[in-house]
Amino acid sequence: MSASTAYLVLQGGRVLDPASGLDAVADVVVRDGTIVEVGANAAANHPTAKVRDVSGHLVTPGLIDIHTHCYPGLGDFCLPTDLMGVDSGVPVIVDAGTASTTIIELARKAIIDHPDTKTKVFALMDPSQIYLANKSFICHYLRIAGDERNIDIEAAKAVVDANRDVIVGFKVRPTITDNPDRSPFLDAAHAIAPDLPVMIHLGSFPHTPVLDTNKLLYQLRKGDIITHACRGGGGQLDAQGEPTKPFIDAYERGVLLDIGHSAGDFHFRTARRMIERGYMPSTISTDLNVFNVDGPVFSLSTTMSKIWALGVPLIEIIRMNTVNAAAAIKRGEEYGELKVGRSAEVSVLRIEEGTVQLSDGHETIEASRRLRAVGCLRAGIWHDAVHDLKSAPDALQEAV
Ligand SMILES: [Zn+2]
């Protein structure tokens, strides 16, 4: 292939880049995996480029889903990596705690770095020695997940230091042992790599006692992430549906809210409350796994559509899954923005107008439009969103 044919142009789309504020019809030009130009009629500067007409579509920085389970063959509730990634128009995904310190390097070899994996994958690692998320919760059932002897801080530090190109933080189950005031697993994660964010979830796990939500909220640092932030009964809202003081304090301290939809961990009702009161999620993620891919989650674009349906402006929806998601995993220098010189991660979505039913698994709402992925560039290579195009079977009637 000659150098001139290595140029590819995504031509004529509505380019929406929240980080720079760009919202205009423009072309995105890439070459050899890198963004080389973004601008109106930029294609004219590259007459020999291969052109993909994306007129009528949204063109955004590559979408990032910071909560998936994407190590198939390791965790039996994981989904195929690319199904949640490039096959859903999402070039960058993060596995949230499927594997622990003694397993993560195998996950690298088998999936993250494997040449068959087309999606860029990062890891929020479980800080235990042995933990594998699976369908039967066996590590919880056998009580390994709550046993302090499962922690080895020095060994975990060595694993993090050897894999910092992939490990972007921790996913922690804040389980307790003898002391009801502290979680040795949360404390371990903070000690292993104090500069890396910790993602936690509010609420219980089977067979494993966890830190009281109010105590947990006070122990989170700026940049730590609450996933399943809009679940019901998580303890972030009081009996009257008002945010609790520990939750408000955590939010004001810079603790981030992540959607982490999952099968039952997102409630429109909770999300409405929180958004109305100004507690905006920072990121929209799916928690996609075998239990929710056939509904209610389906895909990232469907999850984004649900937050959009609550009245959050489109540019904020895109911001959550681009610049905010990159910042949450401390990869804002590389991802989340359409900048010349960066790796060419670019997503293309279409807005489908018409009545659509969207369910959170508890409640179904009617929206007047939805987002659906068309495809994406990952390091400059185009992938059709084959999963997203066939998922989300919600009936969509054309507007009349
Ligand atoms: Zn999860």
Side-chain angles (χ1 to χ4, degrees):
M1 186 185 285
S2 71
S4 60
T5 58
Y7 284 98
L8 169 68
V9 182
L10 300 179
Q11 188 171 33
R14 174 185 169 192
V15 178
L16 188 51
D17 185 3
S20 68
L22 176 65
D23 182 358
V25 173
D27 302 333
V28 177
V29 186
V30 308
R31 184 191 184 196
D32 297 337
T34 302
I35 298 172
V36 295
E37 192 171 350
V38 180
N41 300 315
N45 301 329
H46 306 277
T48 60
K50 187 166 182 263
V51 172
R52 180 172 286 275
D53 179 3
V54 292
S55 52
H57 294 327
L58 278 180
V59 178
T60 73
L63 298 176
I64 304 169
D65 186 345
I66 69 165
H67 188 159
T68 71
H69 293 280
C70 66
Y71 303 152
L74 280 176
D76 67 0
F77 88 139
C78 287
L79 290 168
T81 312
D82 289 334
L83 179 149
M84 297 171 282
V86 294
D87 292 347
S88 290
V90 184
V92 182
I93 65 175
V94 181
D95 182 276
T98 301
S100 58
T101 65
T102 56
I103 303 171
I104 195 78
E105 289 182 347
L106 185 58
R108 271 200 86 145
K109 205 167 183 126
I111 293 135
I112 297 171
D113 297 336
H114 196 282
D116 288 350
T117 301
K118 305 293 186 280
T119 307
K120 176 70 184 172
V121 179
F122 289 111
L124 291 166
M125 182 177 67
D126 186 289
S128 313
Q129 296 184 76
I130 298 177
Y131 185 76
L132 193 57
N134 77 323
K135 286 200 255 186
S136 65
F137 285 92
I138 191 67
C139 290
H140 297 263
Y141 184 60
L142 296 179
R143 305 194 188 276
I144 295 170
D147 190 323
E148 274 186 71
R149 293 170 297 178
N150 202 354
I151 298 169
D152 183 335
I153 289 178
E154 291 310 312
K157 278 184 179 171
V159 170
V160 170
D161 287 344
N163 295 281
R164 276 193 176 257
D165 53 333
V166 162
I167 298 170
V168 292
F170 300 96
K171 172 83 186 302
V172 171
R173 293 155 290 100
T175 60
I176 53 173
T177 51
D178 300 336
N179 180 354
D181 297 330
R182 307 290 304 185
S183 164
F185 293 86
L186 179 61
D187 291 344
H190 284 161
I192 292 162
D195 60 313
L196 294 183
V198 168
M199 175 185 277
I200 57 93
H201 95 200
L202 301 177
S204 60
F205 290 93
H207 314 289
T208 324
V210 293
L211 199 56
D212 168 78
T213 293
N214 289 348
K215 289 176 183 163
L216 171 61
L217 288 169
Y218 276 119
Q219 292 172 32
L220 297 177
R221 310 160 306 178
K222 176 181 165 67
D224 285 343
I225 303 161
I226 300 172
T227 193
H228 312 317
C230 297
R231 72 181 298 188
Q236 67 279 59
L237 302 178
D238 65 20
Q240 284 71 47
E242 296 300 327
T244 66
K245 182 160 191 320
F247 174 79
I248 293 169
D249 285 354
Y251 186 85
E252 290 178 349
R253 199 159 64 241
V255 173
L256 303 173
L257 307 181
D258 173 54
I259 292 296
H261 189 309
S262 194
D265 291 322
F266 173 74
H267 282 70
F268 284 121
R269 193 181 50 199
T270 308
R272 275 188 215 102
R273 279 272 172 176
M274 288 169 55
I275 291 169
E276 276 168 14
R277 281 153 181 73
Y279 300 97
M280 192 63 84
S282 180
T283 49
I284 299 170
S285 71
T286 58
D287 193 10
L288 269 165
N289 58 62
V290 293
F291 292 124
N292 59 44
V293 66
D294 295 323
V297 178
F298 300 110
S299 69
L300 181 62
S301 69
T302 301
T303 310
M304 294 164 75
S305 300
K306 293 175 190 179
I307 307 300
W308 195 21
L310 295 179
V312 177
L314 180 60
I315 191 166
E316 297 306 318
I317 300 296
I318 303 300
R319 188 190 309 278
M320 290 172 190
N321 283 98
T322 57
V323 64
N324 283 9
I329 58 167
K330 299 191 188 297
R331 285 295 195 279
E333 298 293 313
E334 300 160 73
Y335 298 98
E337 196 172 347
L338 293 175
K339 262 193 176 167
V340 170
R342 286 194 176 190
S343 178
E345 270 66 70
V346 186
S347 292
V348 178
L349 302 126
R350 66 175 184 234
I351 297 172
E352 296 179 343
E353 303 279 354
T355 303
V356 59
Q357 310 288 325
L358 295 170
S359 168
D360 63 4
H362 316 273
E363 178 190 353
T364 298
I365 65 169
E366 199 168 274
S368 59
R369 58 197 173 182
R370 59 168 300 139
L371 292 168
R372 197 187 294 261
V374 172
C376 67
L377 294 178
R378 155 74 185 121
I381 307 290
W382 176 261
H383 301 271
D384 287 321
V386 289
H387 169 71
D388 208 41
L389 291 170
K390 72 175 185 334
S391 75
D394 316 290
L396 182 74
Q397 293 130 27
E398 291 299 318
V400 288

